[in-house]
Amino acid sequence: MKLHVIFFKKKFIYYALAIIAFTIITTFFLFFRKGSIATFNIVNESKMMQSDLTGDGNKDILYIKTEMAKYYIQINSGDNSYYLEPSKKIDTVGVNYTEWPMRLTLMDISRNNIPEIFTQASENNKAVQHAFFWNGKKFDDIFCNTNNILGFVDSKNNKTPKVISGNLKDGNVNFTSYIFLQNKLQSFDYNYIDNYMGKNTMLGFVNLVATFPLSELNVSKEIFAPDLDGNDISLLSDLSNRKVHLDFQDAVFKDYAWDKDGNANAILWTVNFKGTNTNDLKDVKNYTIELVVKLIPNENKSSAFKISSINIK
């Protein structure tokens, strides 16, 4: 039997090495990039997620299901199963409405390397918020209310994490701040600066889309950054041209970039709308819009949070 030896030309070897290197680098950035800004999980129907929710180093299974239109959340950890039981104060985590799906966020505000579970949904056209904390034996409902905005500040820097619960009502946004203390979320007084975390900019955006459909879209310099991408403007213009009226439902935000002093200079807002077809009022669905809001210098050398990116889901 003859032994066949195959020789490759150098250029083919170089091509092969280049392809392998590109694949490795792409995989690295997709799965391990630190600069990525994770979106918040939207739950339109039964859904399963995996994460270590009990601190044992193993991934648990978080299962969201609906029965009789109501949401129920179960966590399977090893041989044990736990249900997220809402407090008697608000004994529901919400109802599965097509136009107002649940939003679920995992965020370690206790800084114990175990994420807390935050849920946003609604029932009878009223927003419902909950936060669940693993106490070592079960999940406690440590926070609940009927506000329609949930936010996370100092989420990844070296400062104490804060949770913001707010309400958009009658054209105004009101915030209350909380920190994790003694296994609970404790409120504290805080003097909010104008347009804190871009809330006024978000409100301006909500007011703008509430006027859709428009014959002509006005990209205001008050809320939009001057370098807003043309593709983003086209997305917004296309949404404006649709025969749909948009009503604000709820929103969630978090900071994801900071200056040298640890102050937030970039915020991801995810805003949830009910869209009603103006030609068929029974045609109703959900519109979720992601806004990247960044500090942009003004002509007077001050800075303001403005929308620098738009993504419509």
Side-chain angles (χ1 to χ4, degrees):
M1 180 184 296
K2 291 183 179 180
L3 180 64
H4 295 280
V5 181
I6 300 174
F7 295 95
F8 294 97
K9 292 183 179 181
K10 287 185 176 180
K11 66 177 183 179
F12 293 114
I13 295 175
Y14 293 152
Y15 290 156
L17 290 174
I19 292 172
I20 293 171
F22 176 78
T23 302
I24 293 173
I25 292 172
T26 302
T27 302
F28 177 87
F29 278 104
L30 283 174
F31 291 96
F32 299 101
R33 56 183 178 177
K34 292 183 178 180
S36 63
I37 48 175
T39 55
F40 307 96
N41 294 285
I42 301 170
V43 183
N44 292 304
E45 53 188 17
S46 295
K47 185 171 184 176
M48 187 173 67
M49 301 167 55
Q50 287 188 317
S51 183
D52 181 7
L53 301 171
T54 57
D56 62 0
N58 299 314
K59 284 190 175 181
D60 306 310
I61 299 176
L62 185 153
Y63 184 57
I64 304 168
K65 60 182 180 179
T66 57
E67 291 182 4
M68 302 296 291
K70 282 198 170 188
Y71 285 113
Y72 294 91
I73 305 174
Q74 175 182 333
I75 294 171
N76 294 334
S77 178
D79 296 328
N80 299 313
S81 293
Y82 307 93
Y83 288 92
L84 299 191
E85 297 183 4
S87 68
K88 292 181 179 179
K89 181 180 178 182
I90 303 178
D91 61 351
T92 177
V93 291
V95 172
N96 181 12
Y97 298 113
T98 301
E99 71 277 11
W100 196 337
M102 174 183 280
R103 200 175 313 280
L104 188 144
T105 305
L106 302 180
M107 187 70 66
D108 183 14
I109 50 95
S110 61
R111 291 283 170 90
N112 64 354
N113 296 319
I114 304 173
E116 282 64 55
I117 303 168
F118 293 84
T119 65
Q120 291 172 274
S122 68
E123 186 165 335
N124 297 324
N125 208 34
K126 182 180 291 186
V128 177
Q129 294 180 354
H130 288 278
F132 296 92
F133 167 74
W134 173 250
N135 68 8
K137 295 182 179 179
K138 62 184 182 70
F139 291 89
D140 291 332
D141 186 358
I142 61 171
F143 175 79
C144 63
N145 61 38
T146 56
N147 287 341
N148 55 25
I149 298 176
L150 182 65
F152 304 94
V153 180
D154 299 320
S155 57
K156 294 289 184 180
N157 58 8
N158 58 2
K159 295 185 177 182
T160 301
K162 288 93 178 170
V163 175
I164 308 294
S165 183
N167 212 35
L168 191 163
K169 185 178 180 181
D170 299 329
N172 294 305
V173 178
N174 296 306
F175 280 168
T176 302
S177 293
Y178 299 83
I179 59 172
F180 184 82
L181 191 64
Q182 297 179 341
N183 293 352
K184 292 189 294 185
L185 284 178
Q186 303 274 13
S187 63
F188 66 96
D189 293 332
Y190 187 83
N191 292 322
Y192 300 104
I193 61 173
D194 188 43
N195 203 17
Y196 179 71
M197 296 294 123
K199 71 180 180 71
N200 292 348
T201 296
M202 185 278 301
L203 179 59
F205 182 83
V206 168
N207 291 337
L208 171 65
V209 300
T211 63
F212 288 178
L214 292 171
S215 57
E216 183 177 352
L217 177 65
N218 177 26
V219 182
S220 169
K221 293 182 180 179
E222 292 296 318
I223 64 173
F224 294 105
D227 60 348
L228 183 67
D229 189 272
N231 291 329
D232 292 349
I233 297 175
S234 295
L235 285 174
L236 193 60
S237 180
D238 176 66
L239 181 61
S240 174
N241 291 332
R242 300 181 193 180
K243 297 184 182 301
V244 61
H245 178 74
L246 297 172
D247 292 304
F248 173 83
Q249 305 280 51
D250 63 14
V252 58
F253 70 88
K254 74 167 184 174
D255 52 357
Y256 72 92
W258 305 265
D259 61 21
K260 59 181 178 61
D261 297 318
N263 300 313
N265 55 23
I267 316 294
L268 173 65
W269 278 86
T270 302
V271 192
N272 180 36
F273 295 92
K274 170 186 175 182
T276 305
N277 189 318
T278 56
N279 290 334
D280 182 2
L281 299 183
K282 293 182 180 179
D283 183 9
V284 178
K285 66 177 184 177
N286 173 258
Y287 287 82
T288 299
I289 303 178
E290 289 184 345
L291 306 174
V292 173
V293 180
K294 293 184 178 180
L295 273 179
I296 305 295
N298 287 323
E299 295 178 356
N300 59 5
K301 296 184 179 180
S302 64
S303 295
F305 279 112
K306 295 186 179 183
I307 299 168
S308 64
S309 176
I310 301 171
N311 181 29
I312 301 174
K313 293 188 173 183

